[in-house]
Amino acid sequence: FFMTIEHKYETFFLTMHTFLCSVIKGHLEIKEHINSRWLPKDELLSLDWAAADLPIVLKLIEVL
């Protein structure tokens, strides 16, 4: 477990539980997003994150 985010958007409320995971073998299959990429932590803030995602990104930068 990493952290839980509760965020209120204009039309809905989101509770998101996040986890730190490792890929041991194989590859990840993205099913919820159009695109994905691996970034070093010093490039994480170069993306336009959703409001609910930003606290997770900031904590990742802090702890990694």
Side-chain angles (χ1 to χ4, degrees):
F1 176 77
F2 187 59
M3 67 187 295
T4 296
I5 294 295
E6 294 183 342
H7 186 83
K8 184 175 187 213
Y9 284 100
E10 207 170 292
T11 57
F12 66 96
F13 184 83
L14 171 74
T15 300
M16 181 167 44
H17 305 288
T18 61
F19 299 84
L20 294 178
C21 303
S22 298
V23 178
I24 296 172
K25 65 179 181 175
H27 66 281
L28 299 177
E29 182 180 339
I30 303 301
K31 295 183 178 185
E32 295 294 325
H33 297 282
I34 295 169
N35 195 359
S36 68
R37 67 180 89 162
W38 295 104
L39 293 173
K41 79 174 188 176
D42 62 333
E43 293 182 24
L44 288 175
L45 291 178
S46 68
L47 300 179
D48 183 23
W49 295 98
D53 295 335
L54 193 54
I56 300 163
V57 173
L58 294 173
K59 187 170 179 183
L60 276 171
I61 291 169
E62 178 186 318
V63 301
L64 293 179

